Amino acid sequence: MNSYILITCGGIIQGMGMALFLFPNKIPSGGAGGLAVLLNFWFNIPLSFALWLVNFSMLVVAIHWLGNASAIGTMYGITVTSISIHFFDYYIYIPPSIIWVDLVIGSAILGLGVGILLRQNVSNGGMGVLALIIAQLKDIPPGKPLLLINGSIFVLTASIIAWEIIFLAIISQWLSTRIVDLVYKVKITKEVTPVMAWRKK
């Protein structure tokens, strides 16, 4: 139960960073986000559904490599993220801001959400599945493979829509993956309550 509470929090936080700060500036949040932006650009599919569609297609990979439990958690997490994107996009309004401010804030929030998900052995969906598999096989934090995989998709997205996107997207990924690794590696220790020992007089 505690794991699904954390997955819910991670999905909501991730969706917030995307919907309020990155997507309004056409900045892909990652490989899946880049493909979602392309689907929206080509077919005018809502970003929330396009992101869910791309993430859903990676479930077969998640089931094969990460197991049923992780795949179910991943599906739940990306569904929460997509619903959050829809909610924040339609019901929360943030006045236009400087794009670099949105970039930094959105990337930090995105990295926090993704990091929380990965700590539960749940992918944030899309290319995060591949990054988590590589991280487990190589016993490394997932931030670096996530950056490399997403970077190649950014080149494709930028070549189709606008080359300026690639610079913003790579900076966003660099910032967010640093946060991912920090959250992923942080040690959480349970506080031990001292027990009073009573002596018989």
Side-chain angles (χ1 to χ4, degrees):
M1 178 60 74
N2 288 338
S3 178
Y4 274 87
I5 291 174
L6 289 172
I7 293 172
T8 302
C9 292
I12 292 173
I13 292 170
Q14 180 181 219
M16 182 189 304
M18 293 177 181
L20 298 183
F21 300 99
L22 299 180
F23 283 172
N25 293 293
K26 301 297 183 184
I27 302 173
S29 59
L35 295 178
V37 168
L38 285 176
L39 289 174
N40 174 261
F41 179 78
W42 283 330
F43 307 110
N44 201 29
I45 298 174
L47 284 169
S48 57
F49 179 73
L51 185 65
W52 185 89
L53 187 64
V54 172
N55 286 327
F56 184 82
S57 67
M58 295 299 294
L59 270 187
V60 175
V61 178
I63 292 173
H64 180 71
W65 285 96
L66 305 177
N68 291 333
S70 182
I72 292 171
T74 296
M75 189 66 229
Y76 175 73
I78 62 178
T79 300
V80 170
T81 298
S82 295
I83 293 173
S84 299
I85 291 172
H86 177 79
F87 174 82
F88 288 119
D89 189 32
Y90 282 90
Y91 297 106
I92 304 297
Y93 174 74
I94 291 184
S97 178
I98 301 173
I99 189 171
W100 294 103
V101 174
D102 285 348
L103 177 68
V104 172
I105 295 175
S107 300
I109 294 174
L110 173 67
L112 176 60
V114 173
I116 292 173
L117 292 174
L118 293 176
R119 279 189 69 94
Q120 304 308 307
N121 199 33
V122 166
S123 165
N124 62 310
M127 306 307 114
V129 173
L130 301 180
L132 191 57
I133 291 170
I134 294 172
Q136 291 183 355
L137 292 176
K138 299 290 186 179
D139 193 26
I140 59 174
K144 185 174 290 185
L146 188 62
L147 177 63
L148 293 176
I149 294 169
N150 288 341
S152 62
I153 295 178
F154 294 155
V155 173
L156 173 64
T157 306
S159 66
I160 294 172
I161 299 179
W163 280 105
E164 293 80 4
I165 291 176
I166 192 171
F167 300 108
L168 298 173
I170 289 177
I171 292 173
S172 175
Q173 277 297 290
W174 184 85
L175 289 171
S176 62
T177 51
R178 298 288 74 75
I179 302 296
V180 167
D181 283 347
L182 286 175
V183 175
Y184 189 81
K185 292 187 294 185
V186 68
K187 303 295 182 182
I188 300 177
T189 56
K190 294 183 178 179
E191 186 177 343
V192 179
T193 305
V195 178
M196 299 293 293
W198 297 93
R199 293 182 180 178
K200 291 185 179 179
K201 293 185 178 179

